[in-house]
Amino acid sequence: MIWLTWRQFRTQAGVVFAAITVLAVILAVTGPNLAHDYATGIASCTAHGGCSAFTDQFFNNHQTLYFGLVAVVMFVPAIIGLFWGAPLITRELEAGTHRLVWNQSITRTRWLAVKLGLIGLAAMATAGLGSLAVTWWSSPIDKAAFNRFPRLSPLLFDARGIAPIGYAAFAFALGVTVGMLIRRTLPAMAAVLAAFAVVQMAMPLWIRPHLIAPTRLTTTITATNLDGFLIQSNGSPVHVTVAVNNPGAWIISNQTINAAGHVVKGIPVSLSTGACVPAPPPQPPFSQACFTKISQLGYRQQVAYQPASRFWAFQWYETAIFLALALALAGFCFWWIRRRLS
Protein backbone atom coordinates (compact mmCIF):
# COMPACT_ATOMS: atom_id res chain seq x y z
CA MET A 1 0.00 0.00 0.00
CA ILE A 2 2.86 2.37 0.77
CA TRP A 3 4.47 1.57 -2.58
CA LEU A 4 1.18 2.19 -4.42
CA THR A 5 0.63 5.48 -2.63
CA TRP A 6 4.14 6.62 -3.49
CA ARG A 7 3.66 5.64 -7.15
CA GLN A 8 0.51 7.77 -7.33
CA PHE A 9 2.10 10.68 -5.49
CA ARG A 10 5.64 10.76 -6.84
CA THR A 11 5.04 13.30 -9.63
CA GLN A 12 3.59 15.98 -7.33
CA ALA A 13 6.23 15.22 -4.72
CA GLY A 14 9.04 15.39 -7.26
CA VAL A 15 7.98 18.80 -8.55
CA VAL A 16 7.63 20.37 -5.11
CA PHE A 17 10.77 18.84 -3.59
CA ALA A 18 12.79 19.81 -6.67
CA ALA A 19 11.61 23.40 -6.27
CA ILE A 20 12.47 23.36 -2.55
CA THR A 21 15.92 21.93 -3.32
CA VAL A 22 16.66 24.64 -5.89
CA LEU A 23 15.50 27.31 -3.44
CA ALA A 24 17.64 25.82 -0.64
CA VAL A 25 20.74 25.76 -2.85
CA ILE A 26 20.27 29.40 -3.89
CA LEU A 27 19.79 30.48 -0.28
CA ALA A 28 22.77 28.42 0.89
CA VAL A 29 25.02 30.08 -1.71
CA THR A 30 23.89 33.66 -1.08
CA GLY A 31 23.17 33.48 2.66
CA PRO A 32 26.76 33.65 4.01
CA ASN A 33 27.56 36.75 1.93
CA LEU A 34 24.37 38.43 3.13
CA ALA A 35 25.22 37.70 6.76
CA HIS A 36 28.80 38.92 6.24
CA ASP A 37 27.65 42.20 4.67
CA TYR A 38 25.28 42.82 7.58
CA ALA A 39 27.86 42.01 10.26
CA THR A 40 30.50 44.19 8.57
CA GLY A 41 28.10 47.09 8.18
CA ILE A 42 26.92 46.88 11.80
CA ALA A 43 30.51 46.81 13.07
CA SER A 44 31.38 49.85 10.98
CA CYS A 45 28.34 51.97 11.86
CA THR A 46 28.59 51.06 15.55
CA ALA A 47 32.14 52.41 15.59
CA HIS A 48 30.90 55.66 14.06
CA GLY A 49 28.02 56.22 16.46
CA GLY A 50 24.73 55.00 14.88
CA CYS A 51 23.29 52.29 12.65
CA SER A 52 19.78 53.48 11.75
CA ALA A 53 20.85 54.76 8.33
CA PHE A 54 22.73 51.53 7.56
CA THR A 55 19.88 49.21 8.62
CA ASP A 56 17.36 51.22 6.59
CA GLN A 57 19.59 51.07 3.51
CA PHE A 58 20.37 47.37 4.03
CA PHE A 59 16.68 46.54 4.25
CA ASN A 60 15.79 48.66 1.20
CA ASN A 61 18.48 46.94 -0.86
CA HIS A 62 17.07 43.47 -0.18
CA GLN A 63 13.36 44.02 0.43
CA THR A 64 12.13 42.70 -2.94
CA LEU A 65 13.67 39.26 -2.50
CA TYR A 66 12.88 39.38 1.23
CA PHE A 67 9.13 39.77 0.70
CA GLY A 68 9.24 37.36 -2.22
CA LEU A 69 10.54 34.65 0.10
CA VAL A 70 7.87 35.53 2.67
CA ALA A 71 5.25 35.00 -0.03
CA VAL A 72 6.79 31.64 -1.02
CA VAL A 73 6.62 30.27 2.53
CA MET A 74 3.07 31.57 2.99
CA PHE A 75 1.86 30.01 -0.27
CA VAL A 76 3.42 26.57 0.26
CA PRO A 77 0.66 25.33 2.64
CA ALA A 78 -2.03 26.59 0.26
CA ILE A 79 -0.36 24.80 -2.66
CA ILE A 80 -0.17 21.62 -0.59
CA GLY A 81 -3.87 21.84 0.20
CA LEU A 82 -4.78 22.49 -3.44
CA PHE A 83 -2.55 20.03 -5.28
CA TRP A 84 -1.80 17.37 -2.68
CA GLY A 85 -4.85 17.33 -0.43
CA ALA A 86 -7.87 18.04 -2.64
CA PRO A 87 -7.10 15.53 -5.42
CA LEU A 88 -5.80 12.78 -3.12
CA ILE A 89 -9.13 10.99 -2.58
CA THR A 90 -11.23 12.90 -5.10
CA ARG A 91 -9.46 11.54 -8.17
CA GLU A 92 -9.88 8.01 -6.81
CA LEU A 93 -13.61 8.64 -6.36
CA GLU A 94 -13.95 10.16 -9.82
CA ALA A 95 -12.14 7.26 -11.48
CA GLY A 96 -13.69 4.57 -9.27
CA THR A 97 -10.29 3.03 -8.48
CA HIS A 98 -11.01 3.09 -4.73
CA ARG A 99 -13.40 0.15 -5.15
CA LEU A 100 -10.65 -1.94 -6.74
CA VAL A 101 -8.41 -1.45 -3.72
CA TRP A 102 -11.20 -2.07 -1.22
CA ASN A 103 -12.05 -5.37 -2.91
CA GLN A 104 -8.52 -6.58 -2.21
CA SER A 105 -7.15 -7.31 1.24
CA ILE A 106 -6.76 -3.59 2.02
CA THR A 107 -9.37 -2.16 4.37
CA ARG A 108 -10.75 1.34 3.98
CA THR A 109 -9.12 2.43 7.21
CA ARG A 110 -5.66 1.20 6.23
CA TRP A 111 -6.02 2.66 2.72
CA LEU A 112 -6.82 6.10 4.09
CA ALA A 113 -4.30 5.89 6.95
CA VAL A 114 -1.40 5.22 4.58
CA LYS A 115 -2.39 8.05 2.27
CA LEU A 116 -2.88 10.56 5.08
CA GLY A 117 0.19 9.46 7.00
CA LEU A 118 2.68 9.30 4.14
CA ILE A 119 1.63 12.41 2.26
CA GLY A 120 0.78 14.36 5.41
CA LEU A 121 4.29 13.85 6.77
CA ALA A 122 5.71 14.86 3.37
CA ALA A 123 3.61 18.03 3.46
CA MET A 124 4.83 18.97 6.94
CA ALA A 125 8.45 18.23 5.99
CA THR A 126 8.15 20.41 2.88
CA ALA A 127 6.78 23.38 4.79
CA GLY A 128 9.26 22.91 7.62
CA LEU A 129 12.30 22.76 5.35
CA GLY A 130 11.13 25.78 3.36
CA SER A 131 10.52 27.81 6.50
CA LEU A 132 13.86 26.77 8.01
CA ALA A 133 15.83 27.77 4.90
CA VAL A 134 14.05 31.10 4.47
CA THR A 135 14.26 31.96 8.19
CA TRP A 136 18.02 31.28 8.19
CA TRP A 137 18.65 33.33 5.04
CA SER A 138 16.43 36.22 6.15
CA SER A 139 17.92 36.51 9.64
CA PRO A 140 20.14 39.56 8.87
CA ILE A 141 17.26 41.38 7.17
CA ASP A 142 14.92 40.48 10.04
CA LYS A 143 17.37 42.19 12.37
CA ALA A 144 17.60 45.26 10.14
CA ALA A 145 13.79 45.51 9.93
CA PHE A 146 13.17 44.56 13.56
CA ASN A 147 11.18 47.70 14.39
CA ARG A 148 9.54 48.21 11.00
CA PHE A 149 8.39 44.62 10.53
CA PRO A 150 8.41 42.70 13.84
CA ARG A 151 8.49 38.91 13.64
CA LEU A 152 5.20 38.85 15.56
CA SER A 153 3.43 40.95 12.93
CA PRO A 154 0.90 39.02 10.80
CA LEU A 155 3.05 39.39 7.67
CA LEU A 156 6.21 37.74 9.01
CA PHE A 157 4.79 35.44 11.67
CA ASP A 158 3.20 33.12 9.09
CA ALA A 159 6.54 32.69 7.30
CA ARG A 160 8.84 32.08 10.26
CA GLY A 161 9.54 29.38 12.80
CA ILE A 162 7.48 26.20 13.05
CA ALA A 163 4.02 27.65 12.32
CA PRO A 164 4.18 26.77 8.57
CA ILE A 165 4.37 23.09 9.59
CA GLY A 166 0.99 23.40 11.31
CA TYR A 167 -0.44 25.35 8.38
CA ALA A 168 0.69 22.65 5.93
CA ALA A 169 -0.82 19.84 8.00
CA PHE A 170 -4.10 21.71 8.28
CA ALA A 171 -4.21 22.67 4.58
CA PHE A 172 -3.53 19.08 3.55
CA ALA A 173 -6.19 17.64 5.87
CA LEU A 174 -8.63 20.36 4.77
CA GLY A 175 -8.01 19.48 1.12
CA VAL A 176 -8.61 15.78 1.72
CA THR A 177 -11.79 16.45 3.70
CA VAL A 178 -13.29 18.87 1.19
CA GLY A 179 -12.38 16.53 -1.66
CA MET A 180 -14.17 13.62 0.01
CA LEU A 181 -17.27 15.73 0.57
CA ILE A 182 -17.48 17.38 -2.85
CA ARG A 183 -16.09 14.44 -4.87
CA ARG A 184 -15.07 16.67 -7.79
CA THR A 185 -11.47 17.80 -8.09
CA LEU A 186 -11.77 21.34 -9.50
CA PRO A 187 -14.69 22.45 -7.26
CA ALA A 188 -12.87 20.92 -4.29
CA MET A 189 -9.70 22.87 -5.07
CA ALA A 190 -11.64 26.13 -5.31
CA ALA A 191 -13.42 25.43 -2.01
CA VAL A 192 -10.13 24.56 -0.27
CA LEU A 193 -8.49 27.77 -1.44
CA ALA A 194 -11.41 29.86 -0.18
CA ALA A 195 -11.65 28.06 3.16
CA PHE A 196 -7.92 28.17 3.83
CA ALA A 197 -7.77 31.89 2.98
CA VAL A 198 -10.60 32.61 5.42
CA VAL A 199 -8.87 30.69 8.21
CA GLN A 200 -5.51 32.40 7.54
CA MET A 201 -7.15 35.82 7.74
CA ALA A 202 -9.24 35.00 10.80
CA MET A 203 -6.30 33.73 12.85
CA PRO A 204 -4.21 36.96 13.05
CA LEU A 205 -7.26 39.23 13.18
CA TRP A 206 -9.41 37.56 15.82
CA ILE A 207 -7.67 34.59 17.44
CA ARG A 208 -3.89 35.10 17.66
CA PRO A 209 -4.03 38.43 19.58
CA HIS A 210 -5.94 36.69 22.37
CA LEU A 211 -3.96 33.44 22.69
CA ILE A 212 -1.99 35.27 25.37
CA ALA A 213 -3.45 38.26 27.19
CA PRO A 214 -1.80 41.37 25.69
CA THR A 215 0.26 43.76 27.73
CA ARG A 216 -1.59 47.05 28.24
CA LEU A 217 -0.01 50.45 28.71
CA THR A 218 -1.66 53.79 29.47
CA THR A 219 0.70 56.72 29.07
CA THR A 220 0.75 60.47 28.58
CA ILE A 221 1.48 61.69 25.06
CA THR A 222 4.91 63.32 24.85
CA ALA A 223 7.40 64.43 22.23
CA THR A 224 9.53 61.41 23.18
CA ASN A 225 6.96 58.66 22.64
CA LEU A 226 4.97 60.23 19.78
CA ASP A 227 5.19 57.72 16.96
CA GLY A 228 2.80 59.15 14.39
CA PHE A 229 -0.01 61.62 13.86
CA LEU A 230 -2.69 62.35 11.30
CA ILE A 231 -4.16 65.79 10.60
CA GLN A 232 -7.14 65.46 8.26
CA SER A 233 -8.35 69.06 8.01
CA ASN A 234 -8.79 72.17 10.14
CA GLY A 235 -11.26 71.56 12.91
CA SER A 236 -10.88 67.75 12.84
CA PRO A 237 -9.42 65.89 15.82
CA VAL A 238 -5.71 65.03 15.65
CA HIS A 239 -5.16 61.25 15.53
CA VAL A 240 -1.95 60.17 17.26
CA THR A 241 -0.10 56.94 18.00
CA VAL A 242 2.70 56.37 20.48
CA ALA A 243 5.62 53.96 20.58
CA VAL A 244 6.17 51.42 23.36
CA ASN A 245 9.53 50.73 24.95
CA ASN A 246 9.65 47.19 23.62
CA PRO A 247 11.47 46.87 20.27
CA GLY A 248 9.83 44.38 17.93
CA ALA A 249 6.52 44.39 19.78
CA TRP A 250 3.29 43.65 17.92
CA ILE A 251 0.95 46.60 18.48
CA ILE A 252 -2.64 45.37 18.63
CA SER A 253 -4.38 48.66 19.44
CA ASN A 254 -3.20 52.25 19.89
CA GLN A 255 -6.11 54.41 21.07
CA THR A 256 -6.55 57.85 22.60
CA ILE A 257 -8.67 58.13 25.74
CA ASN A 258 -10.06 61.23 27.43
CA ALA A 259 -10.02 62.25 31.08
CA ALA A 260 -13.01 59.96 31.78
CA GLY A 261 -11.16 56.96 30.31
CA HIS A 262 -13.36 56.72 27.21
CA VAL A 263 -11.86 55.99 23.80
CA VAL A 264 -12.08 59.00 21.46
CA LYS A 265 -11.43 59.38 17.74
CA GLY A 266 -8.79 62.06 18.23
CA ILE A 267 -7.64 65.05 20.24
CA PRO A 268 -9.76 68.17 19.55
CA VAL A 269 -7.09 70.88 19.70
CA SER A 270 -6.87 73.95 17.49
CA LEU A 271 -4.24 73.70 14.78
CA SER A 272 -4.65 77.27 13.58
CA THR A 273 -4.11 79.18 16.82
CA GLY A 274 -2.58 78.50 20.20
CA ALA A 275 0.09 76.08 21.38
CA CYS A 276 -0.60 73.27 18.90
CA VAL A 277 -0.01 75.10 15.61
CA PRO A 278 2.19 72.62 13.63
CA ALA A 279 5.74 73.79 13.03
CA PRO A 280 7.25 73.53 9.53
CA PRO A 281 9.81 70.75 8.93
CA PRO A 282 12.48 69.89 9.85
CA GLN A 283 11.33 71.13 13.27
CA PRO A 284 9.25 68.82 15.50
CA PRO A 285 5.57 69.09 14.50
CA PHE A 286 4.32 70.03 17.97
CA SER A 287 5.89 72.13 20.70
CA GLN A 288 6.29 71.12 24.32
CA ALA A 289 3.53 73.58 25.17
CA CYS A 290 1.15 71.56 22.97
CA PHE A 291 1.93 68.31 24.78
CA THR A 292 1.47 70.07 28.11
CA LYS A 293 -1.94 71.30 27.00
CA ILE A 294 -2.96 67.81 25.84
CA SER A 295 -1.92 66.41 29.22
CA GLN A 296 -3.86 69.13 31.08
CA LEU A 297 -6.99 68.26 29.08
CA GLY A 298 -6.62 64.68 30.32
CA TYR A 299 -5.90 62.94 27.03
CA ARG A 300 -3.70 59.87 27.20
CA GLN A 301 -2.80 56.99 24.95
CA GLN A 302 -3.84 53.41 25.66
CA VAL A 303 -1.78 50.73 23.92
CA ALA A 304 -2.27 46.97 23.84
CA TYR A 305 0.67 44.97 22.50
CA GLN A 306 2.36 41.60 22.48
CA PRO A 307 6.06 41.80 23.49
CA ALA A 308 8.64 40.45 21.07
CA SER A 309 9.74 37.88 23.68
CA ARG A 310 6.46 35.98 23.15
CA PHE A 311 7.27 35.01 19.55
CA TRP A 312 8.05 31.35 20.26
CA ALA A 313 5.15 30.98 22.69
CA PHE A 314 2.78 32.11 19.92
CA GLN A 315 4.54 29.81 17.44
CA TRP A 316 3.97 26.77 19.65
CA TYR A 317 0.36 27.71 20.47
CA GLU A 318 -0.59 28.31 16.84
CA THR A 319 1.20 25.22 15.56
CA ALA A 320 -0.61 23.11 18.17
CA ILE A 321 -3.97 24.62 17.16
CA PHE A 322 -3.50 23.84 13.48
CA LEU A 323 -2.18 20.35 14.18
CA ALA A 324 -5.23 19.70 16.36
CA LEU A 325 -7.50 20.93 13.57
CA ALA A 326 -5.67 18.67 11.12
CA LEU A 327 -6.15 15.66 13.42
CA ALA A 328 -9.84 16.51 13.84
CA LEU A 329 -10.30 16.67 10.06
CA ALA A 330 -8.43 13.39 9.67
CA GLY A 331 -10.71 11.79 12.25
CA PHE A 332 -13.73 13.05 10.33
CA CYS A 333 -12.30 11.54 7.15
CA PHE A 334 -11.99 8.12 8.80
CA TRP A 335 -15.58 8.35 10.05
CA TRP A 336 -16.88 9.49 6.66
CA ILE A 337 -15.11 6.80 4.66
CA ARG A 338 -16.39 4.04 6.94
CA ARG A 339 -19.96 5.24 7.30
CA ARG A 340 -20.88 7.36 4.30
CA LEU A 341 -18.56 6.69 1.37
CA SER A 342 -19.19 3.86 -1.01
Side-chain angles (χ1 to χ4, degrees):
M1 188 63 211
I2 294 177
W3 177 86
L4 176 61
T5 300
W6 170 248
R7 289 275 297 180
Q8 293 175 319
F9 174 64
R10 63 180 178 177
T11 301
Q12 301 98 304
V15 171
V16 173
F17 278 110
I20 291 292
T21 301
V22 171
L23 176 64
V25 170
I26 293 173
L27 297 183
V29 171
T30 59
N33 288 334
L34 183 70
H36 177 266
D37 291 345
Y38 178 78
T40 302
I42 288 293
S44 176
C45 67
T46 301
H48 291 84
C51 289
S52 59
F54 166 75
T55 54
D56 288 344
Q57 185 62 43
F58 185 82
F59 174 77
N60 292 335
N61 290 343
H62 300 92
Q63 64 176 329
T64 301
L65 183 55
Y66 179 72
F67 287 120
L69 291 173
V70 169
V72 167
V73 178
M74 292 178 66
F75 285 139
V76 164
I79 291 172
I80 287 172
L82 287 174
F83 297 102
W84 289 11
L88 183 66
I89 305 300
T90 310
R91 66 184 177 188
E92 300 264 16
L93 300 178
E94 288 179 320
T97 54
H98 62 293
R99 296 188 181 93
L100 176 63
V101 177
W102 294 350
N103 286 329
Q104 308 301 317
S105 60
I106 304 300
T107 64
R108 298 185 182 197
T109 301
R110 182 185 173 192
W111 178 76
L112 182 60
V114 171
K115 285 181 174 290
L116 290 180
L118 180 64
I119 304 177
L121 289 175
M124 295 169 65
T126 300
L129 291 173
S131 175
L132 176 64
V134 170
T135 299
W136 171 78
W137 185 91
S138 301
S139 178
I141 310 177
D142 283 343
K143 295 175 183 176
F146 192 62
N147 289 320
R148 296 167 64 178
F149 296 98
R151 289 193 305 168
L152 267 174
S153 64
L155 178 65
L156 291 187
F157 185 86
D158 293 356
R160 296 289 183 267
I162 60 174
I165 298 175
Y167 303 153
F170 169 72
F172 171 71
L174 178 66
V176 174
T177 304
V178 173
M180 290 178 64
L181 294 176
I182 296 179
R183 304 180 68 154
R184 292 292 182 271
T185 301
L186 290 180
M189 292 172 70
V192 169
L193 181 60
F196 185 72
V198 169
V199 172
Q200 286 296 86
M201 289 188 291
M203 176 59 76
L205 290 176
W206 300 309
I207 301 175
R208 186 184 302 157
H210 308 291
L211 292 177
I212 303 176
T215 300
R216 300 188 181 276
L217 170 69
T218 301
T219 181
T220 56
I221 303 166
T222 67
T224 302
N225 66 12
L226 182 68
D227 186 52
F229 64 93
L230 175 62
I231 302 174
Q232 294 181 331
S233 62
N234 289 336
S236 297
V238 179
H239 298 262
V240 301
T241 58
V242 300
V244 298
N245 188 24
N246 192 292
W250 176 27
I251 306 299
I252 297 173
S253 65
N254 205 324
Q255 300 173 312
T256 303
I257 59 175
N258 59 20
H262 299 142
V263 176
V264 295
K265 295 182 178 180
I267 304 173
V269 293
S270 174
L271 301 176
S272 56
T273 60
C276 290
V277 176
Q283 303 178 59
F286 301 113
S287 65
Q288 182 57 46
C290 179
F291 291 108
T292 301
K293 180 179 179 180
I294 291 173
S295 179
Q296 290 173 347
L297 293 173
Y299 291 99
R300 295 163 294 161
Q301 202 71 7
Q302 191 175 75
V303 185
Y305 67 95
Q306 295 288 358
S309 59
R310 294 178 179 175
F311 173 79
W312 281 108
F314 275 100
Q315 283 278 321
W316 284 107
Y317 280 141
E318 194 154 321
T319 302
I321 289 172
F322 278 95
L323 289 177
L325 290 173
L327 289 174
L329 289 173
F332 173 81
C333 289
F334 280 108
W335 177 83
W336 187 265
I337 202 172
R338 289 175 62 86
R339 301 297 179 91
R340 298 298 183 94
L341 199 59
S342 61

